[in-house]
Amino acid sequence: MTTFQIPGLDYGSDESSPEPEEDPLESHMCIDCYSIAMKIVQQPKGTPLADKYLAVHELSNEEIVLFGNALKETDVDPDGDDFIHCDRCNCYYRASCKEHPLFWVKDREPRFESGAQTLLFIRVVYFLFQSKNSKPEDRARMTAPAFISIKTSSIPNAGLGAFAEACIPVGMVFGPYQGILIDDASEAEKDGYCWELRSHTGPHFIDGSNTQYSNWMRYINSSRREFRYCLCSSMLKKEPVSLSRTSYVP
């Protein structure tokens, strides 16, 4: 039987039409300027970000897959430190929550006018004499991020302190704390610059008293008022770090 078709109408075909390709996505680690918190924003490539977002890092495909890998409580080792707990989701993650992500702020690389060879010589001499005093070229101060300044603290007898010159959003991670690894607990209690590391082999300490081997985190002082606490200390992948749990506006 002959079929009759009206010209101009699409009666379909036996061949299935290919599905439209999805636009590739770009992933950005941003600061949400409304909530003052870190935020992962994914959108089609080339699309401008909304005004409330400030992009700080473009995430690669290898990086984005690390976020949001939730763990069951039975899989969490109480003595481990290769996971993070999201207080807002009340869930453990291998790297970080995707809805409430963490962003690691790297220290600045210290630069010395005296040159690398002279710096190496100075460090060797200091190590041989096991000096505990600060030196003219303060490496620790030079490692502070661009929005952190080191200056005299208003806390009585605190000496120098770390001051935020810009808003610190929730989700920023600072560190790790740097210094010389020691095992003597009595030595660690002398000047208050040690961070205790607990392990199966017993306690160890990172001594940040020598500014040539420490970083800017040695200058973080405890707040005198509870409502001003914005950083909390933690161990993450065997590194002592400070996490921004609440936003801070200087």
Side-chain angles (χ1 to χ4, degrees), residues 13 17 39 121 217 219 235:
S13 61
S17 57
K39 181 76 174 178
F121 172 76
M217 292 182 66
Y219 297 112
M235 289 292 295

Side-chain angles (χ1 to χ4, degrees), residues 184-199:
D184 189 344
S186 60
E187 184 73 14
E189 296 175 355
K190 284 185 177 180
D191 45 29
Y193 285 104
C194 281
W195 192 314
E196 183 177 357
L197 308 177
R198 297 179 181 178
S199 66

